[in-house]
Amino acid sequence: MKNQVDYSLYLVTDSTEAILGSRDLVEVVEQALLGGVTIVQYRDKSSDTGALISTAKRLHEKCKQHNIPLLINDRVDVALAVGCEGVHLGQDDMNIVEARKILGDDKIIGATVSSLDESRIAVERGADYLGIGTLYATNTKKNIKDIIGVNGIRKILRFLDAGDDASQKIKTVCIGGVNASNLQRVVHQLCAPRPNTPKPKTIDGVAVVSAIVGSPDPKTASANLQRLLASPPPFKATSSEPHFWFEKEEDEIKALMTASTKATKRVHEKSPLSHNMTNLVVQNFAANVALAIGASPIMANYGDEAIDLSKLGGGLVVNMGTVTPDGLSNYAKAITAYNAAGGPIVFDPVGAGATAIRREATSFLMRSGYFDLIKGNEREILAVARASGFTLHDNSQQRGVDSGDSLFSLEQRAYIVSSLAARERNVVLMTGATDVISDGTRMYAISNGHKYLGLITGSGCTLGTTLSAYLAANPEDKLHAAVAGILHFEIAAQHAATRDDVKGPGTFVPAFLDELYSRGLEIVEDRGDWTALQK
Ligand code: 3NM
Ligand code: MG
């Protein structure tokens, strides 16, 4: 029985004035049950024992009517008195082993954990599930030990997945600041891929307090969270058949070419909005590149405007090349809007890692939402990997934004890119003389382009612009969409750089715009193909 508990929408109650107000807790919980919460924990840190038991009894009646388990926070005695399904124990509460002796094997015992050590101990002591937190800062709980974010929780999931049978099977929920605006991406990203594990451990549920108890309409709030849990996030690609990298059979190349041709045609057909929140240096060039590839550019840095813009079927580029505090809060608003609407977001972490401000900006933005594609040069992607929780042992100081020389072999780059993509569950592109791109399962290395791209300003940024349009027009397979965008961009650069009238970077820029334009038209009119791909 207790193995079949559904932890997916886990309600933790709160009886404080700030959250419950003057309403009756039992009525609020009943509404939440009607809305679809799957398990309830009665958490009340201030009532006297008599009142606790009487409220818990009323709650248990309601829960039983809906066939939903009721747990009591901290108080094993209250759980016993009421005869409910179990308890939830914090680190300062009764030891799990002692609680088990009192409650027996059939009752559910959950434990709050926020570190690998606490998780290991809770598993050893026989907890049935772990409440892992704190995910995000919240006003609901005072004395929060540690805000560990998606990265910290993912680390614990990987740790559990690498342990013994009990550890692999233990159920998990995350807690702290979960609400309707972040639930889908949190669940999407709380997946713990490890090498050679085809079915990585995922989070079994989300625990919420204020998103339900603090809502004026707990039933609708619960139903909405349940709907979000049950539906794929709007940004999720609808298909991605796994195949494996460097398996470059002729057939695969051909299929990639066909997919790329289709993707380019779609950009022209749909002329998607490319919404750029980009740096001061490249605004004009980026708008021109978007037009040349057949997209519709808008350069709009005002976050509130993104609510409307995100509904137009386009893609967003967040380029932090000239980051400011205002800029960051605008980006965060736009990220939320695009995640909700499902429009793709390309994150271009320009100079990430170069300064403390940019490192913090990178992790702030990674916390703010889900990026469908993260693109950057080697150093930028390394900084993103660190922000994503990787421990990378290199002491390379980041130099300029566009500084050259690779620190890693192609295989190492491939490893970093594919692990980061698997972890973030998105597409990661590391640009360089050979670009490496992966969605965590599939991987391509592309060596097109020309050195002039490194001699003009904004080539990386405008590749981001290009990719936003390609992803928006081709949502079903974002990896292939991005490959097509790279090919369009880089093959156009090759054509431009080798033209007779192009003498250097200065004459290259207008020729590049021309070639971006005509390359697209050639594909649309079936006069060109992508066979110039350099593997
Ligand atoms: N425990 P809300 S955070 C009860 O980190 C609780 O262990 C936490 O409330 C932990 O959903 C928390 O309103 C409160 O953010 C979560
Ligand atoms: Mg406690």
Side-chain angles (χ1 to χ4, degrees), residues 1 32 184 210 239 325 362 485:
M1 165 64 204
Q184 284 185 308
S210 53
S239 89
T362 304

Side-chain angles (χ1 to χ4, degrees), residues 41 43 45 73-74 88-93 112 141:
Q41 178 196 136
R43 179 172 182 272
K45 295 293 191 191
N73 182 284
D74 186 357
H88 182 88
L89 302 174
Q91 288 294 321
D92 302 324
D93 300 341
T112 297
K141 185 180 182 179

Side-chain angles (χ1 to χ4, degrees), residues 89 94-104 109 121-122 124-127:
L89 302 174
M94 187 185 291
N95 181 312
I96 297 166
V97 177
E98 277 139 23
R100 179 67 73 200
K101 271 189 215 146
I102 299 172
L103 292 171
I109 300 182
I121 292 168
E124 282 168 10
R125 293 182 178 168

Side-chain angles (χ1 to χ4, degrees), residues 266-267 270-278 282-301 305-306 308-319 334 338 343-348 375 460-473 489:
R266 290 263 202 78
V267 171
K270 297 187 181 171
S271 192
L273 190 74
S274 170
H275 175 180
N276 289 251
M277 297 183 99
T278 192
V282 302
Q283 307 253 6
N284 177 276
F285 189 34
N288 278 326
V289 166
L291 286 170
I293 64 160
S296 313
I298 182 164
M299 320 313 276
N301 288 324
E305 203 181 7
D308 287 342
L309 291 174
S310 67
K311 293 175 186 151
L312 303 178
L316 172 70
V317 186
V318 174
N319 174 310
Y338 273 81
I345 309 181
V346 173
F347 179 35
D348 194 344
K375 73 152 282 282
C461 305
T462 54
L463 175 58
T465 301
T466 302
L467 296 176
S468 71
Y470 266 82
L471 262 61
F489 192 88

